Amino acid sequence: MTILNRLKLKSRMILILGLMALVQTGLIGLFALHYLQQSLDEQIGQRALHVAKTIAAMPSVVEAVEGGDIRYLQPISLLLAEKTQARFVVIGNINGIRLAHPNPYKIGQSMADDEGDDSAEALVHGKGYISKALGSLGWSMRGKAPIYSEDGHKVVGVISVGYDLNRVAEIIQRYRLTLILVIIGSFVLSALIAVWFANHFKQAIFGLEPEQIARLFEEQKATLGSVREGIIAINAEGKVTTFNPAAVETLGLPEGTQLSGKNIKDVIPDSSLLEVLKSGIPQYDRELWLNDHTFVANRLPMKQGDKITGVVSSFRRKDELDQVSKKLTRIQQYADTLRSQAHEYSNKLHTIAGLIQIGANDEALALIGQESRSHQKLIRLLLDAVPDPILAGCLLGKYNRARELGLRLKIDPESRMTELPDHLPREQLVSILGNLIDNALEATLHSDKAAGEVTLSMSDFGNDLIFEIEDQGPGIDEAEQLRIFEKGVSSKAKEGRGIGLHLVKNLLDNLGGTVTVEPASQLGSRFIVYIPKQREQRSVQAE
């Protein structure tokens, strides 16, 4: 077994298939030879018995046997042996004494003297039979038949007709040579088939050896076990073929539940995996509602050539992703705020230092007071109108960002955003608002007619949260207003544009909200966002 394991898969398959063909052909050959010998023996025996019964029924022979007429029986037995191509025709009387024999010296002697003689069956019981025995003339297949008297009431003698078995041996030898040639041919053909099959099989398993496949299988099991995302794969019949412990845990199933072989509908009703299996179109970052939790899933079809052989899906609870996203959003907000403030106050400090150096102390104090009053006014507005710290931090960061760009972010003092629903993801809200403000700042910055101001108005009256962002940019054509939210579409001819508004549209679709674009009152564009306060009961597709 150790030597076999050292061989490549192709060599193993050629060797094993060749040996199997050799053994199978050899066994079949031995059986064929044995069956052929038995068949030939039986045919020759039946022929000998038929000849013996025919001779025993000849009236002249019956009469000669009853009269003990050796002179008639001896030549007739030789003639009949020649005519029937028999080795011998022996005729005996009721006492088993030979009346005719190919060897004249045997005439008159008892047939019982021959080794293996069994004439009693014919003489005593009056039955014809076939036997293979060694007689005075060697091995032969014999047929013996009783000779009945003319009235048919009693046995008066016996006819023994024998055929030489050497002819049978010659036939067997001829077939044996043929069979050896067939075995050699089968072995060569099996080797060629094994080479073709091994090449086809190796191609199907990507040229891997069995040991490599086993190692990859163990690595796959370890990988699936270490991944925190749930993974489920189905075959073309919709039955689960692969899953990991995280899938069982994420779906809320009992620990140790075996999913292999189960139909995906029995595991996850209304599964979209069957839709991907049918269409072959992958699905990315799809949200689904299952077991009172929201999941984010990716589904990819598995193909072999042009044929879809299955689908694999990875999924994870959305609240885990939201926690990570929330942390990243806060960190980015803090970083933007600190960077903007550092840049802004660095400029102010340089200005104040310059004023003090030239002795303009009153102007320096006035500038310090102005900065303090401006920030205090903004902070009081945010504390009163926007008590949510995440949203307030976002607005403060964008305010400082605008000042860094030499622009002004004006927040309507009548704004009010105190009734933010708990279910509304804050990171999605600030992403929507942040992208729209950044877009407005950039549009205003690149406009020659702009006064450098972006206006934000917020309202939580009624059933919706309403945000209005107005810029002083060049505006958006009506034709472009229908395409501005598509991915990659932007009024700036730069690579990587057209992402922010596309993200805003996707986030609003997820929250059940809408966004409209219209010309501003004087210059630029106004984006109006509506987000419902009540979560809509949407029918979310299951995994």
Side-chain angles (χ1 to χ4, degrees):
M1 197 65 183
T2 304
I3 298 176
L4 189 61
N5 287 335
R6 293 177 182 175
L7 297 176
K8 296 292 185 181
L9 178 61
K10 184 176 180 179
S11 302
R12 288 188 229 175
M13 295 183 70
I14 295 174
L15 180 60
I16 293 173
L17 291 177
L19 289 176
M20 286 179 61
L22 188 63
V23 172
Q24 288 178 352
T25 310
L27 292 175
I28 293 174
L30 292 175
F31 172 77
L33 289 175
H34 179 71
Y35 180 79
L36 177 62
Q37 184 173 3
Q38 285 187 333
S39 178
L40 288 174
D41 288 347
E42 184 178 355
Q43 289 181 17
I44 293 173
Q46 291 294 336
R47 181 178 179 182
L49 181 60
H50 176 72
V51 172
K53 288 182 176 180
T54 301
I55 295 172
M58 295 173 62
S60 60
V61 173
V62 173
E63 182 180 355
V65 170
E66 288 180 339
D69 190 355
I70 297 175
R71 285 183 299 176
Y72 174 79
L73 294 174
Q74 177 65 10
I76 195 68
S77 68
L78 297 176
L79 179 62
L80 290 173
E82 182 182 355
K83 292 294 184 180
T84 59
Q85 298 181 343
R87 184 178 184 182
F88 61 84
V89 174
V90 177
I91 303 174
N93 61 16
I94 188 61
N95 297 317
I97 303 300
R98 297 187 184 95
L99 301 178
H101 194 278
N103 186 355
Y105 296 102
K106 296 286 187 177
I107 297 175
Q109 297 180 7
S110 175
M111 298 175 68
D113 295 339
D114 290 340
E115 182 181 353
D117 181 74
D118 49 3
S119 301
E121 185 74 17
L123 293 172
V124 176
H125 301 289
K127 295 180 179 179
Y129 62 93
I130 299 171
S131 68
K132 181 179 181 181
L134 178 62
S136 61
L137 298 177
W139 282 99
S140 61
M141 182 63 68
R142 300 179 299 188
K144 292 193 176 187
I147 303 173
Y148 283 91
S149 61
E150 292 183 1
D151 57 9
H153 295 301
K154 64 177 181 177
V155 176
V156 296
V158 62
I159 300 292
S160 178
V161 178
Y163 283 88
D164 192 356
L165 291 180
N166 291 333
R167 181 169 176 79
V168 175
E170 292 175 2
I171 297 175
I172 296 297
Q173 181 62 27
R174 186 169 66 249
Y175 276 99
R176 184 181 291 112
L177 293 175
T178 303
L179 185 61
I180 292 174
L181 293 177
V182 171
I183 292 174
I184 295 174
S186 298
F187 179 78
V188 174
L189 180 61
S190 298
L192 294 176
I193 294 176
V195 172
W196 172 83
F197 182 74
N199 289 332
H200 178 75
F201 189 74
K202 288 277 287 184
Q203 184 180 4
I205 60 175
F206 306 101
L208 298 174
E209 295 294 323
E211 293 77 10
Q212 293 175 311
I213 296 176
R215 185 166 59 253
L216 289 175
F217 178 73
E218 293 298 328
E219 290 177 0
Q220 182 200 43
K221 287 176 58 180
T223 302
L224 290 175
S226 63
V227 174
R228 293 186 60 190
E229 287 193 355
I231 297 177
I232 287 183
I234 63 172
N235 59 16
E237 288 75 35
K239 295 183 178 180
V240 178
T241 57
T242 304
F243 68 98
N244 64 345
V248 175
E249 180 182 356
T250 305
L251 294 175
L253 300 175
E255 184 178 356
T257 300
Q258 292 296 321
L259 304 179
S260 296
K262 293 185 178 180
N263 194 290
I264 189 63
K265 289 185 177 181
D266 298 332
V267 180
I268 309 173
D270 302 324
S271 174
S272 293
L273 288 177
L274 298 177
E275 177 185 337
V276 178
L277 182 63
K278 182 178 181 181
S279 66
I281 301 175
Q283 298 177 356
Y284 299 99
D285 298 329
R286 296 293 182 91
E287 288 196 10
L288 56 100
W289 181 259
L290 185 65
N291 296 335
D292 298 328
H293 292 288
T294 302
F295 294 86
V296 176
N298 295 288
R299 310 175 185 103
L300 295 175
M302 296 182 291
K303 296 183 178 180
Q304 190 170 6
D306 296 331
K307 183 180 180 182
I308 300 176
T309 58
V311 181
V312 61
S313 173
S314 62
F315 51 95
R316 193 169 186 173
R317 283 178 55 174
K318 188 175 182 297
D319 51 7
E320 296 180 9
L321 299 176
D322 289 344
Q323 292 176 2
V324 176
S325 177
K326 189 180 297 183
K327 292 179 181 178
L328 292 176
T329 301
R330 290 178 180 175
I331 292 173
Q332 184 175 2
Q333 291 173 3
Y334 297 152
D336 289 343
T337 301
L338 292 174
R339 179 174 55 82
S340 299
Q341 288 181 344
H343 187 274
E344 176 69 15
Y345 282 104
S346 176
N347 293 333
K348 297 298 182 182
L349 288 175
H350 284 107
T351 302
I352 293 171
L355 291 174
I356 292 175
Q357 288 177 357
I358 64 177
N361 296 333
D362 293 339
E363 287 79 359
L365 291 174
L367 181 59
I368 293 172
Q370 179 182 356
E371 286 298 313
S372 177
R373 287 191 300 273
S374 176
H375 273 78
Q376 288 298 323
K377 182 179 179 181
L378 175 63
I379 291 173
R380 281 197 302 271
L381 173 61
L382 293 177
L383 288 175
D384 293 337
V386 188
D388 186 86
I390 297 178
L391 181 57
C394 172
L395 297 178
L396 183 60
K398 297 304 178 183
Y399 176 85
N400 291 320
R401 175 60 179 166
R403 298 190 63 178
E404 181 183 349
L405 296 174
L407 304 174
R408 181 187 176 196
L409 175 61
K410 180 181 178 182
I411 301 177
D412 188 349
E414 299 298 326
S415 295
R416 178 180 177 84
M417 192 58 59
T418 60
E419 296 183 6
L420 288 177
D422 294 334
H423 69 81
L424 180 64
R426 299 301 189 266
E427 71 281 357
Q428 295 186 19
L429 178 61
V430 300
S431 181
I432 294 170
L433 199 57
N435 275 288
L436 289 175
I437 293 176
D438 287 340
N439 186 71
L441 291 174
E442 188 169 0
T444 303
L445 183 65
H446 292 86
S447 177
D448 297 334
K449 301 179 181 180
E453 186 175 272
V454 172
T455 303
L456 170 65
S457 176
M458 300 175 289
S459 174
D460 59 2
F461 293 110
N463 298 324
D464 296 322
L465 305 178
I466 304 174
F467 299 88
E468 294 185 18
I469 299 94
E470 185 175 323
D471 62 57
Q472 295 180 340
I476 303 174
D477 296 336
E478 291 186 8
E480 288 297 320
Q481 290 180 10
L482 301 176
R483 301 179 59 248
I484 196 66
F485 294 101
E486 296 179 10
K487 188 175 183 179
V489 176
S490 174
S491 58
K492 290 84 176 177
K494 292 183 181 180
E495 185 179 354
R497 297 287 183 176
I499 302 297
L501 293 180
H502 174 70
L503 177 61
V504 168
K505 183 67 168 59
N506 285 344
L507 292 174
L508 285 173
D509 288 342
N510 182 54
L511 296 175
T514 59
V515 57
T516 61
V517 186
E518 60 183 36
S521 56
Q522 296 181 355
L523 184 67
S525 302
R526 180 186 296 114
F527 288 79
I528 306 174
V529 174
Y530 301 89
I531 302 176
K533 293 181 180 179
Q534 298 296 326
R535 188 187 187 102
E536 295 184 4
Q537 297 297 326
R538 295 176 300 154
S539 57
V540 185
Q541 283 185 329
E543 170 56 32

